Amino acid sequence: MARSLDWPESGVLGCDSVQNAVHRGKLFWLWGDTTIARYPLGIFDGTSATSAVQPLQTFEPPVRLKLNYFTDAKGAPRGIAKMPGDGPTWVTAYVSLRDSNGESHLVGSYLKVKPPLEGYQWGLCVWNDSTASFEQLRLLWTKSEKAPTPPPVPDGHPAFWKDSGGKEWVLFGNPLPALRCPATFEAWQDSTKWEALKPQESLVSAADGTPVKPHSGSIAWNPWRKRWVTIFMQSRGKPSDFGELWYAEASAPTGPWGRTVKILTHQNYTFYNPRIHPEFTPTDSPILVFEGTYTMTFANHPPPTPRYEYNQILYRLDLDNPLLAPAQKP
């Protein structure tokens, strides 16, 4: 226990849906709704922290991430995306993009939410280094009778990709790419530069050939496999409706994605929005690290797991495991 005496206590008890971006030599972290010990209603406009780009020296448990939270005057984690409007603010499509002068900007899309879970407004936001907070850039959509559904917007997790002509794009998807734009700060601001993509609706189970429909997740280029990989939560899986995790590969981020292998189940519990951490490992590593939100919500009234309920759980997947071979065939 003595080795933990210098560990700072954040006061965070749990948090929802992680986002990450490498920005100006650091790994920036962002979470959604956050429960804290000092205030029972929590923080509902995002919390954030920074760490080293490769924050773990070893993957042997216990694994601890040294996170430097953005805090208030009392040293407690605070909200970092106080956008106009009622209800929580959820930030997504979190990415660092260079402008024409080579300066990096940390940006995101934000969604305003009304009870119970109704998104009613989308906008773009940009990180302000001097205030260490996101500021509204512009509105994209407000729900109305004339516009009941939003247009395509950057949403989910980003991935950088250079096409066969050498043009670099940033792809956004949850899990598979649904929108792309040139990977510049200027193009990200200009919705006329955005291109909607049609993600693959379902993958094929390597075990029995049945369709597996993705619900949430992320993709990443994997140098060890020399292929694109995805880890996603299955929509209406079994035994858990929202807790079955799958792995698949593709030669291009837009697919087609090959046969998929189930890697994780949560029985009567929920594990959603899995985020691959390609930054965590060296390029020659067969280890894939990912995390997601672990909660009893959306399950059939299970008892909460003490100290883990509504929190982020980090997993390690060994890509050299023979059980993954069916997903690794070209």
Side-chain angles (χ1 to χ4, degrees):
M1 294 297 294
R3 65 181 179 180
S4 300
L5 293 178
D6 61 345
W7 191 259
E9 174 54 58
S10 67
V12 171
L13 299 181
C15 49
D16 192 6
S17 296
V18 72
Q19 296 262 328
N20 291 99
V22 177
H23 178 65
R24 298 184 180 177
K26 296 180 181 179
L27 185 60
F28 276 66
W29 298 73
L30 186 148
W31 299 272
D33 304 339
T34 301
T35 54
I36 50 178
R38 62 187 171 86
Y39 183 56
L41 295 181
I43 301 170
F44 294 98
D45 42 22
T47 51
S48 185
T50 62
S51 73
V53 175
Q54 285 193 355
L56 297 176
Q57 300 301 313
T58 176
F59 297 97
E60 299 298 326
V63 170
R64 301 191 304 173
L65 293 168
K66 188 174 183 180
L67 298 169
N68 299 306
Y69 284 90
F70 293 100
T71 58
D72 60 19
K74 296 181 180 179
R78 58 172 172 81
I80 48 79
K82 296 180 183 294
M83 299 300 153
D86 296 330
T89 301
W90 296 348
V91 178
T92 182
Y94 188 55
V95 66
S96 180
L97 296 169
R98 292 185 184 274
D99 63 22
S100 57
N101 296 318
E103 183 179 357
S104 295
H105 302 264
L106 186 62
V107 303
S109 304
Y110 73 87
L111 177 66
K112 295 296 295 185
V113 184
K114 291 181 178 179
L117 288 174
E118 179 190 1
Y120 70 91
Q121 198 169 73
W122 276 100
L124 298 179
C125 55
V126 179
W127 183 258
N128 184 323
D129 286 311
S130 62
T131 62
S133 296
F134 273 108
E135 295 179 350
Q136 182 189 62
L137 178 68
R138 67 183 178 95
L139 280 175
L140 296 173
W141 168 82
T142 299
K143 190 172 185 178
S144 67
E145 289 186 4
K146 292 183 178 180
T149 58
V153 299
D155 185 17
H157 299 287
F160 290 98
W161 172 61
K162 189 173 289 187
D163 65 21
S164 57
K167 184 173 183 178
E168 189 172 25
W169 301 85
V170 58
L171 311 174
F172 298 98
N174 191 20
L176 308 181
L179 184 144
R180 74 176 186 176
C181 75
T184 68
F185 180 56
E186 291 83 0
W188 169 83
Q189 297 179 67
D190 184 356
S191 56
T192 66
K193 299 291 193 301
W194 303 349
E195 298 180 23
L197 304 173
K198 186 174 177 58
Q200 194 169 324
E201 291 186 0
S202 65
L203 285 72
V204 176
S205 168
D208 57 17
T210 57
V212 181
K213 184 177 177 61
H215 184 278
S216 67
S218 60
I219 69 169
W221 170 255
N222 186 260
W224 190 79
R225 286 292 304 143
K226 296 182 173 57
R227 285 169 66 80
W228 288 87
V229 299
T230 180
I231 290 178
F232 64 90
M233 184 200 79
Q234 180 184 5
S235 177
R236 299 296 179 181
K238 297 298 178 187
S240 170
D241 273 357
F242 299 106
E244 306 303 299
L245 277 289
W246 295 73
Y247 169 88
E249 296 187 0
S251 57
T254 51
W257 292 86
R259 291 182 173 268
T260 185
V261 172
K262 184 184 284 194
I263 57 171
L264 193 58
T265 181
H266 287 86
Q267 301 298 320
N268 185 30
Y269 226 78
T270 300
F271 185 87
Y272 59 80
N273 288 346
R275 171 66 158 93
I276 299 173
H277 289 301
E279 307 89 359
F280 276 32
T281 52
T283 57
D284 60 349
S285 174
I287 295 173
L288 193 65
V289 180
F290 66 97
E291 69 173 283
T293 305
Y294 178 80
T295 176
M296 61 185 286
T297 307
F298 312 120
N300 186 23
H301 306 293
T305 307
R307 302 184 66 175
Y308 286 86
E309 161 59 22
Y310 196 59
N311 222 318
Q312 298 298 300
I313 303 293
L314 191 69
Y315 283 100
R316 162 181 168 168
L317 179 67
D318 293 338
L319 298 180
D320 55 2
N321 189 314
L323 295 177
L324 292 180
Q328 296 173 339
K329 295 178 180 178

